[in-house]
Structure formats: structure tokens, C-alpha cells
Amino acid sequence: MEPNQQVFDEDVAIFTDMSLMPAERAVLRRLAPRIGTLDMLDLGVGTGRTGWTYAPLVRRYVGLDYAPRMIEAAKHRLGGEPNVELLVGDARDLSPIEGEFDFILFSFNAIDAVPPEGRLEVLDQVRAKLRPDGLFQFSTHSLGALPFDTRKPLSPRFAEMLAYRIYVMVTGVRYAQRIRKINRGLDLASARERGWDVVPSMAHNFQIHDYYVDPEFQVGQLREHGFEVVAIFDTDGREVTLPHRSRDPWFDYLCRPMAG
């Protein structure tokens, strides 16, 4: 297994939150008038977070993840319905999946765990599986978030709990040390010229390496692989226009196939 893939497989127990993120809710509102007619492919489905909302609503739901234990957990949550299919597989090769789809989702920056060359393969595979009038949504880390803030972020779910705040304070010193080490290793001038970088992620105890991309470079990359961007959302679910300079950790891109 690739290192990132192995970490996801081992960390299956931490993925318990089933709520949609703000940008995902914004796109769901756009899809709502025709949601029951859609065939959906959910890439990097994990333990079924997005499927928890979407699977009961769409006509056909296919969830894919390359971590077998993730799919096992998703089956416990989503399995048993006639319109639901959950598969172990790699987004770089979608040929085993039958049919085309009206909506393809690759959520929670999961595409960033794919190596850079594999990321382009994913875009080509998605383009081939998407119907001419279909939509593709994915989120990806923003190069504008670098260098990392050395302060350990608080989870909004637990921020009011005193015990949690003490825990963050105690572990924050070591966290800051690791972040400073990562920041020292960044070559931001080269990354900005190239348009992207791959750096150790704060998630999963720094075991994951993630792709960070300049939003304008990302739009160009999508265009080269047959997509036009319909909308870009920040982490609060607000639609933004480029150029957009911010410290947002990621953006969601809603795309459709280019005509012709």
C-alpha cells in the first residue's frame, strides 16, 4: 500500500462525523431540484460521511475508496440499499465501474493524497465517467495557506470544553515545533512559480503528504483536462472569484465538461 493509503486504512476509527461541509451544502442546494434523478459517484468515500446524506437522495450511488477498512465501515452505514454500491478501488482507474454519472464528488481534499502525476489521471478518469451535462465537485488545499500557522487550531466542535482547551495548550508546544520544521523546509518561491507543492500535512499526526495548489493554476489544470469551472467556494461555503488571495486552507471547485 502507498504510505498515504496505509495511514487512511489505519485511521478509520477517527472518521465519525457525518455532516456535510459548507461548500458541500452549497452544491447540494444547487442539485436539490433534480437530486432524485441523479446517478452519483463518490470518490474517496471514506466511512460514508457524504454518502450518509446523498445515498438516500440520488437514483444511483456508487462509493469508492482505496482503503479497504474505510469501505467496510461505509458498508455498515450505507449498505443494504438497492441503489447503493460500495467498492474498494483507485480513482486513478475508474474503468471497472459501469456507466456514466451526473454528479461526481471527491470531497475533503482526498484528491490531494494522490501523487501529482496520479492527480492528472484522476481528472482524466472523472472526465471520462461524467455525462456531458454532469458536474464534478472536489476540494483541494490552497497554496495560499502556506507557510502554516504555528498555533494549533481548535476544533469548533470542542472549543468550549475546558479539558479540550487544556489538551491543545499542552500539545501545542510540540505541534509548533513540528510546524516550524515543516515551514523551514518550504521553498515558497519555487512552489508559487510552479503552481503547487507537496508538503507534510497537519492531519493524521503528520503522516500524510498533501498537494497544495494555487487556485488560478488549478483552474488552468482543469481546463487542460477538459473541465470548465462553474463556481469556487471557500471553506465557509461562500462563492469566490479569482484572483482571490486568502489564508483559506482549501477551496471547493465545481466543474463541468467543456463542450466539444
Side-chain angles (χ1 to χ4, degrees):
M1 297 176 72
E2 295 178 1
N4 285 358
Q5 180 184 8
Q6 184 171 349
V7 171
F8 285 125
D9 208 55
E10 292 172 350
D11 283 357
V12 63
I14 70 174
F15 293 96
T16 58
D17 188 352
M18 296 291 107
S19 58
L20 293 184
M21 295 183 178
E24 294 163 352
R25 294 197 295 270
V27 172
L28 177 58
R29 286 192 292 269
R30 291 188 178 212
L31 298 174
R34 57 191 181 103
I35 192 72
T37 68
L38 300 183
D39 297 330
M40 176 179 178
L41 174 59
D42 201 349
L43 302 174
V45 68
T47 62
R49 179 183 66 85
T50 49
W52 182 256
T53 295
Y54 272 105
L57 300 177
V58 297
R59 179 172 58 188
R60 178 191 179 203
Y61 178 88
V62 178
L64 184 81
D65 203 288
Y66 68 176
R69 292 185 64 207
M70 291 284 192
I71 288 296
E72 288 177 16
K75 286 181 177 178
H76 282 296
R77 289 195 171 100
L78 310 177
E81 298 299 325
N83 70 320
V84 173
E85 185 178 1
L86 296 164
L87 305 169
V88 176
D90 196 314
R92 289 167 287 191
D93 180 14
L94 300 179
S95 60
I97 300 174
E98 295 183 1
E100 295 181 325
F101 296 86
D102 305 291
F103 180 50
I104 299 179
L105 176 63
F106 209 157
S107 66
F108 209 5
N109 313 311
I111 193 173
D112 292 339
V114 181
E117 64 280 2
R119 180 188 187 92
L120 303 182
E121 294 174 334
V122 170
L123 295 180
D124 290 336
Q125 289 290 303
V126 168
R127 178 66 181 82
K129 281 293 180 183
L130 200 59
R131 292 192 172 115
D133 59 348
L135 291 171
F136 171 42
Q137 179 187 4
F138 72 103
S139 62
T140 181
H141 289 97
S142 171
L143 203 60
L146 303 177
F148 292 122
D149 191 334
T150 57
R151 294 170 298 181
K152 191 169 187 178
L154 287 172
S155 168
R157 295 178 61 198
F158 308 112
E160 300 304 318
M161 297 173 57
L162 178 60
Y164 173 71
R165 296 179 71 89
I166 293 173
Y167 165 79
V168 171
M169 187 182 303
V170 170
T171 58
V173 175
R174 179 166 173 76
Y175 175 88
Q177 291 173 342
R178 300 183 81 165
I179 291 296
R180 282 193 285 268
K181 182 178 180 180
I182 292 172
N183 285 343
R184 286 195 297 269
L186 297 174
D187 184 351
L188 287 178
S190 296
R192 288 166 183 150
E193 183 177 354
R194 185 171 55 246
W196 58 272
D197 203 357
V198 175
V199 298
S201 171
M202 294 176 286
H204 304 276
N205 197 28
F206 299 91
Q207 298 178 85
I208 294 289
H209 282 70
D210 275 330
Y211 185 96
Y212 282 71
V213 61
D214 177 80
E216 292 180 82
F217 181 87
Q218 181 62 83
V219 170
Q221 188 181 73
L222 287 164
R223 188 178 299 114
E224 290 174 1
H225 289 265
F227 293 97
E228 62 175 321
V229 174
V230 176
I232 302 173
F233 302 92
D234 66 13
T235 50
D236 292 320
R238 295 180 298 238
E239 192 168 341
V240 301
T241 57
L242 301 182
H244 182 75
R245 305 300 175 209
S246 77
R247 292 280 292 167
D248 281 80
W250 66 80
F251 293 98
D252 274 69
Y253 297 79
L254 183 65
C255 322
R256 63 187 172 206
M258 294 175 67

